[in-house]
Amino acid sequence: MASGGPPPVPKKQGLSPWAWLGIGCAGILVVGGVVAVLVGMFVFGKVREVARDMEEDPVATMSRMIAAAHPEVELVEADKDARTVTFRNTTSGEVFTFSYEDIEEGRFSFTSDGETAQFDFDADESESGRMTVTTDEGTATFGAGSDVSDIPDWVPIYPGSTPNGTYSSETPQMRAGGFGFETSDG
């Protein structure tokens, strides 16, 4: 006969450290998934809002984006009825007002200290995009469509190529420019 006392009580088994690690990782994934869905819903809502604003008044929407992207530019007013947009340079305090028509056609004019600079952006198919800046001192053109008609005779031209202007500048004292050549050669 065995002596002895009560039979031994089996030890209670808990979860292993690997199980707890797996539960923790799963919890992090669930929380991360919920955060990702909430952020996605927020971003999607903002994109829809901007798209709706862009459809209703694209000039005012772009004006707000320009002001948000440049800390020295403040949008004072986007008046849909008067079809004008007014910005203020926060550094100098100067105020600039543009008409919707000028913005839609890519024309801007700035006057500062009695001097005027006019910017004209062409993006039609025939010009392939260019910007012309005109001041009292002269005119500068950047991009496709710059004048290449007066390439000096001393500039060697690659045989069978077509010169394309990238910029030109003209003042009463001088004329300058840059160009490249387009060819089908390798």
Side-chain angles (χ1 to χ4, degrees), residues 6-183:
V9 178
K11 280 188 169 180
K12 183 177 176 187
Q13 290 236 343
L15 294 174
S16 73
W18 290 107
W20 284 112
L21 183 63
I23 290 170
C25 288
I28 290 172
L29 287 175
V30 168
V31 169
V34 168
V35 168
V37 167
L38 292 175
V39 167
M41 288 173 51
F42 175 77
V43 169
F44 180 72
K46 285 295 181 186
V47 168
R48 274 174 92 183
E49 181 181 322
V50 169
R52 186 177 35 233
D53 290 348
M54 193 65 95
E55 284 180 13
E56 290 175 13
D57 193 355
V59 173
T61 303
M62 288 305 297
S63 299
R64 284 192 297 274
M65 289 179 177
I66 289 169
H70 300 283
E72 69 278 358
V73 175
E74 176 185 29
L75 177 63
V76 176
E77 180 181 34
D79 189 342
K80 191 174 180 178
D81 296 330
R83 295 188 48 80
T84 59
V85 177
T86 303
F87 293 100
R88 183 166 49 93
N89 182 329
T90 58
T91 306
S92 68
E94 291 180 285
V95 176
F96 303 98
T97 301
F98 304 100
S99 73
Y100 275 34
E101 288 78 19
D102 284 348
I103 293 171
E104 289 166 350
E105 293 177 16
R107 289 188 319 245
F108 302 94
S109 181
F110 296 97
T111 302
S112 178
D113 297 331
E115 295 183 20
T116 300
Q118 182 173 344
F119 296 80
D120 189 10
F121 297 88
D122 295 326
D124 62 22
E125 292 178 20
S126 65
E127 298 295 337
S128 301
R130 71 176 178 179
M131 177 182 75
T132 303
V133 181
T134 305
T135 67
D136 297 337
E137 295 179 18
T139 301
T141 302
F142 303 90
S146 298
D147 188 14
V148 293
S149 62
D150 292 335
I151 296 175
D153 293 336
W154 54 267
V155 173
I157 297 177
Y158 186 79
S161 67
T162 305
N164 291 319
T166 55
Y167 80 92
S168 64
S169 175
E170 187 172 347
T171 69
Q173 294 82 22
M174 70 165 205
R175 180 178 168 96
F179 55 89
F181 295 102
E182 184 176 326
T183 181

